[in-house]
Amino acid sequence: ESRTKLEVHHVRKLADLNRPGRRDKPAWVQLMAKRRRKTLVICRRCHEDIHAGRGTAPLRN
């Protein structure tokens, strides 16, 4: 967890969060869908992990 060097992950449409093909949605997808937000403030490492398709650290609500 980092409180510095924060970045914002952005999706074009909320519908992009519910694309078929993925059985278990990662925690960051679930959180964005639950909040109905197209942006999520996260640390740089987690942002890189999201774009690389790797798991991220547990997210807080």
Side-chain angles (χ1 to χ4, degrees):
E1 175 183 330
S2 175
R3 294 181 188 267
T4 61
K5 299 182 184 174
L6 298 176
E7 298 184 358
V8 178
H9 180 67
H10 181 266
V11 295
R12 291 181 187 185
K13 297 181 279 185
L14 286 173
D16 290 345
L17 298 174
N18 296 315
R19 279 185 296 177
R22 254 192 189 160
R23 284 193 139 163
D24 296 328
K25 306 270 190 245
W28 64 270
V29 171
Q30 294 174 25
L31 184 60
M32 290 179 80
K34 178 181 170 184
R35 291 181 177 177
R36 298 186 46 83
R37 303 292 299 179
K38 296 192 311 182
T39 58
L40 181 65
V41 177
I42 50 179
C43 70
R44 180 180 185 93
R45 181 174 150 207
C46 287
H47 198 197
E48 290 172 354
D49 288 344
I50 286 172
H51 283 282
R54 295 185 296 260
T56 60
L59 299 173
R60 293 184 300 184
N61 289 343

